[in-house]
Structure formats: C-alpha cells, structure tokens
Amino acid sequence: MTPKARLNLFLGIVVVFLFFYIYDRSRPFNSVGNYSYINRELDILTDPFTCNNIPERKYLEQRGLYYVLFNFVVAQRNFGCSETITLTAPGDFQFLENLVPLIRVWQGAVSIGVYAPGNDFHMALASIAYLRNCEETLIKELVSFHLIFDVDHVPNSQNNTPLIDSYIDHYDCSIPPPWETIKQEDTYRRQNKLFYPLNVARNVAKSAARTYVLFPSDMELFPPRNFVGNFLQFAKENLKLFQENSKSVFVLPIFEIEEGQTIPENKTTLQEMLKNGKAIVFHKNICLECHKVIDGDKWIEAAETEGLNLFSVGKRQGAYQYWEPFFLSTQKEQFWDERFVWEGQRDKHVHVYAFCLMDYDFVVLDNAFLVHKPGIKKVKVQDEKYSDQVKKTKQIMKGIETELQNIYGYNKKCIL
Ligand SMILES: *[C@@H]1O[C@H](CO)[C@@H](O)[C@H](O)[C@H]1NC(C)=O
Ligand SMILES: *[C@@H]1O[C@H](CO)[C@@H](O)[C@H](O)[C@H]1NC(C)=O
C-alpha cells in the first residue's frame, strides 16, 4: 500500500468508529417507553451538572422538633442528575389530590414533604397508596414522598408493625380516597391545633431531590405543557447561568383563574383568558406588588414563541422590592427558614430577602408561567384566624433582618 492509501484506510476507520460512537451516545439512557421528560439533548454532552450524593434508602432524621422519614415511598424511576427537573413541594394528605392533574402536565420527577402528625400519618399512607394504585400511573413512576411529624405527635403503630415498615402499596379502589372521607377540622392536625411547618416540608422535599435543577413549588400550581424538556434545553444553551458560582434563579410569572375554568396549557391560551378577564395576576386582590414580574406588562403582551428564552433580568429591588416570586433554582441554593409556619405567613418572604442580600439575578422566562388551581382568592384566611401567630411572626422577622444582614452584608435596597 502506498502511504496515501494507508492514510485513507486509517481515516476511513476513524470515521466509521466516530459514527458508531456518536450514534451510541445519542441514544437515550434508557430506551424503555417514550418519556417526554427524558432529556435526550443533554445526554449527548457529558453530564453538565454534578449532584450531591443523596441516599435513596428510607431513613429517619430528626430536624428540630420534627422527625422526618425520608424516602418513605419512592418513585419507581431513578433519574440521573441532569436528566430531568425535580418539582419539590410541601403538603399534607388533603393536598395530595392535586398531584393527579399536576403530574400530567409536569411529567418530571416530584419530591413531596408530607406533614403527617399522629393519625394523619395513616391517612397520608392510605392517600399515597390510593394515588399510586387507583390514579394516574405516572404518580407511581415519578413521585417520592417523605413523611414529617412532630416529636410530640409520633403516630401510633398499627397491628404491631413498626412505623418504618408500615407502608402497604395496596388500595381497594372501590373505596373513595381518604381525603374525601374526613373533614378538614377532623384531621389530627386540626384537632390538636398543630401549626403546619411548611418550610420544614419544603426543605425536606428539596434535600431529598436527586437532580441538579429544582423547582420548589406547590401542589396547587400548574406549569405549562412540555415545560421540563423546554427548560432543560434552555439550561443547555445557558450553562453559564447554572454553574457553581452563578447567582441566577428562574422566575415563572404566576396567575390565578376563575373557578370552573380549565387550566391553560400554553401562553396563547393564558393571554386569551387575561384579555377576557378569566385570568388575573396572582393575588392581584391581596398583594399586587408581590407577584408583578420584571417587565410584566410586556410579558403579557408578547406573543408565544418556540421553546423557552430569557425575557427579562433584574434584582428584587426598587419597584420589585416586595416581590415574592416562584422560581427554579439548583441544589446549591438557600433553604427556607424553619421558624416560619403557614399560619403566621411570611414563610417565603425571608427566603427571597436573602436572595436579594446575596445579589441574585431574577431571570424571567418568556413562555413559561404558573397558574394556581382555579378559584380567585380575595383575603388571606390567616389574618383573621391566626392573628396571634401572625403577630409572633412579625416579631421573628425583626430578628431575622439583623441576622441575615450579619451573614450576607447590609444592602439598603433590599426590603424584608
Ligand atoms: C415511541 O414513539 C414513536 C413515535 O411517536 C412510536 O412510533 C413508538 O411506537 C413509541 N414507542 C413506544 C415504546 O411507545
Ligand atoms: C395552546 O393550547 C390550546 C388549547 O389546549 C391548543 O388548542 C393550541 O393549539 C395550543 N397552542 C400552541 C401554540 O401550542
């Protein structure tokens, strides 16, 4: 062979090898089924994110005055760090019915911190069994549940089964779901006048998530269709914003819709509903400033486009100093202050204040938004029903301002 022929042969082999290498890398991790939440694009790169090593096993942790049973019921599917986004949310068994419509649009991993003191624990386990066996199969596949109860309200074990082994993944689907069988005021939590530690539940859900990108949200908030895939594509195109030292979080404008309306699955439908008054900015009647996003009026006007893009960026300052947005973040971001309970309000306020002191950018995305479960709120029930706790919370807030300023530094533009 001439040297030239040898070179051609060599190049030919290299090309064939590369073809098979790229072909193999471009196949999804797992070729079972068609999952829109599997992120095929990022898979071609080496994994861009690294995750904390979070144990998958069931374990007990004590967290202040609460016990937490992590991974009490786990999703069947185990995702890689960059393969999907984990929606993390607090709740109790009476919120769990929202998971059915939520999982249908979300189609990604979900981690729920369920507050379940005393006998509410057994109601929660039955609710989970109902959802896994009688409802949408995606729940079994994608949702993990972590259970939380007060150290003073440890559930009784039943039939001599230790609590830690007490989950039975079976439900007679001809029986109505547990939340339909009991009135709110008859739950163990209400009977014992226990406060709902939603920041503990938020932190538990977050710490148990196994993906790098997280969406700390709520079971009553619905994103648009195809959000997870679109956001991961956005992340791939904007890796800088997600790195270890980056200070960005990703805001979804939030809206509420009238009772009886269908939740819009894309921006175009949302815009129509805003025009005819069927949808409004979230809590417009309670605190407009809390949920007005940067360039919000332009956001509402702008026509829907393909995928997801950056729409506006800014700080939680000036006209946005009272902003309490819902946003996506990563594993590295700040946890919630567990001194706050739902009854006292302000549970999210301190969290976003800390992000202001740390000088984070709030990135607003163009085609993504959240819609609250139908029904427009007029007043906050906490003000009337739990005025003592609201007062106590105001006291705690005063101390926290100084604490956080000592930790992160003073910035006069940040308002608590
Ligand atoms: C996956 O989707 C493709 C095209 O949408 C379809 O032809 C195929 O049968 C699906 N495979 C499975 C396993 O559902
Ligand atoms: C938006 O949703 C509506 C109703 O579900 C649907 O008819 C329409 O085709 C969707 N538009 C786009 C751009 O996806």
Side-chain angles (χ1 to χ4, degrees):
M1 253 196 282
T2 64
K4 198 172 170 197
R6 243 181 284 161
L7 180 65
N8 283 342
L9 181 66
F10 173 72
L11 286 178
I13 291 168
V14 167
V15 165
V16 169
F17 174 78
L18 272 179
F19 173 79
F20 280 106
Y21 179 74
I22 291 169
Y23 172 75
D24 189 54
R25 299 282 297 168
S26 67
R27 282 187 312 187
F29 291 9
N30 183 331
S31 43
V32 182
N34 281 335
Y35 299 103
S36 69
Y37 50 84
I38 293 185
N39 164 31
R40 278 150 222 225
E41 302 296 327
L42 278 173
D43 179 31
I44 297 167
L45 301 167
T46 46
D47 215 351
F49 305 132
T50 44
C51 283
N52 299 333
N53 277 330
I54 292 157
E56 288 169 32
R57 62 192 164 76
K58 194 188 302 188
Y59 64 98
L60 180 77
E61 188 179 283
Q62 196 184 342
R63 207 172 176 114
L65 295 173
Y66 300 93
Y67 279 124
V68 182
L69 283 165
F70 274 99
N71 299 317
F72 200 69
V73 183
V74 290
Q76 280 172 339
R77 241 193 109 78
N78 198 353
F79 288 102
C81 180
S82 311
E83 216 181 341
T84 185
I85 301 171
T86 309
L87 187 152
T88 66
D92 64 19
F93 77 89
Q94 295 197 314
F95 278 104
L96 293 177
E97 61 176 320
N98 296 305
L99 277 175
V100 178
L102 179 60
I103 201 70
R104 287 187 185 137
V105 284
W106 177 252
Q107 308 224 331
V110 176
S111 168
I112 306 282
V114 185
Y115 179 51
N119 195 51
D120 289 355
F121 182 86
H122 300 291
M123 296 297 278
L125 294 196
S127 303
I128 294 166
Y130 170 82
L131 288 165
R132 284 169 59 96
N133 294 289
C134 311
E135 284 287 351
E136 182 57 67
T137 55
L138 285 173
I139 291 179
K140 203 167 199 165
E141 209 176 324
L142 299 172
V143 186
S144 292
F145 300 89
H146 320 284
L147 295 201
I148 302 156
F149 44 85
D150 312 59
V151 293
D152 291 339
H153 296 273
V154 174
N156 289 325
S157 60
Q158 292 181 341
N159 311 322
N160 293 327
T161 311
L163 288 178
I164 193 117
D165 300 324
S166 60
Y167 184 62
I168 301 166
D169 202 7
H170 169 77
Y171 198 92
D172 175 354
C173 299
S174 64
I175 298 171
W179 56 80
E180 282 179 10
T181 64
I182 184 168
K183 287 202 208 91
Q184 199 176 45
E185 60 265 30
D186 295 334
T187 59
Y188 183 93
R189 167 185 154 201
R190 301 282 174 160
Q191 289 282 311
N192 289 273
K193 301 196 164 48
L194 301 178
F195 289 142
Y196 171 31
L198 90 171
N199 280 358
V200 174
R202 281 182 172 135
N203 287 343
V204 164
K206 178 179 185 233
S207 22
R210 298 203 196 99
T211 59
Y212 184 69
V213 182
L214 304 177
F215 180 30
S217 185
D218 195 285
M219 279 186 268
E220 297 187 325
L221 299 177
F222 298 88
R225 234 177 228 294
N226 303 324
F227 175 75
V228 172
N230 285 338
F231 191 87
L232 288 170
Q233 182 64 29
F234 168 81
K236 178 194 161 198
E237 290 160 6
N238 295 276
L239 284 178
K240 266 206 324 270
L241 298 179
F242 290 84
Q243 274 153 6
E244 208 43 47
N245 56 359
S246 72
K247 288 189 172 183
S248 297
V249 288
F250 306 90
V251 177
L252 304 189
I254 174 166
F255 301 89
E256 51 192 336
I257 60 175
E258 278 178 3
E259 191 79 54
Q261 293 294 317
T262 312
I263 294 164
E265 289 184 352
N266 56 48
K267 186 175 176 184
T268 312
T269 313
L270 172 71
Q271 285 171 318
E272 283 161 19
M273 294 176 75
L274 286 163
K275 271 207 194 95
N276 60 29
K278 299 221 157 62
I280 58 170
V281 171
F282 188 61
H283 284 182
K284 194 176 178 178
N285 300 326
I286 298 173
C287 176
L288 181 59
E289 278 177 315
C290 298
H291 294 286
K292 242 179 118 158
V293 304
I294 293 167
D295 288 338
D297 295 338
K298 279 191 210 147
W299 188 96
I300 288 173
E301 289 300 312
E304 183 174 358
T305 52
E306 279 287 304
L308 266 188
N309 304 284
L310 187 152
F311 185 80
S312 56
V313 186
K315 307 279 184 195
R316 183 181 175 270
Q317 294 170 1
Y320 304 100
Q321 62 189 0
Y322 298 113
W323 202 16
E324 284 188 61
F326 281 86
F327 51 79
L328 287 100
S329 57
T330 70
Q331 284 192 341
K332 69 184 156 69
E333 264 85 34
Q334 172 102 1
F335 281 79
W336 286 263
D337 191 318
E338 298 188 1
R339 284 170 287 187
F340 290 83
V341 292
W342 178 82
E343 287 76 3
Q345 306 181 16
R346 302 307 188 104
D347 42 275
K348 275 181 86 240
H349 221 89
V350 171
H351 190 240
V352 279
Y353 175 65
F355 279 86
C356 182
L357 291 179
M358 288 184 278
D359 203 31
Y360 263 70
D361 283 329
F362 290 79
V363 175
V364 180
L365 299 166
D366 58 356
N367 299 314
F369 55 89
L370 287 173
V371 172
H372 193 265
K373 178 182 167 170
I376 292 178
K377 239 199 214 176
K378 302 250 160 44
V379 286
K380 287 210 164 190
V381 292
Q382 291 101 317
D383 287 338
E384 298 162 15
K385 245 175 124 177
Y386 302 104
S387 55
D388 285 355
Q389 193 57 30
V390 171
K391 260 184 239 147
K392 234 182 247 166
T393 298
K394 284 189 182 140
Q395 244 8 73
I396 303 175
M397 298 271 287
K398 278 192 197 140
I400 284 179
E401 192 162 16
T402 323
E403 287 167 27
L404 289 177
Q405 286 167 5
N406 277 317
I407 294 169
Y408 295 119
Y410 176 67
N411 181 342
K412 68 172 191 298
K413 292 182 186 152
C414 296
I415 305 289
L416 183 60

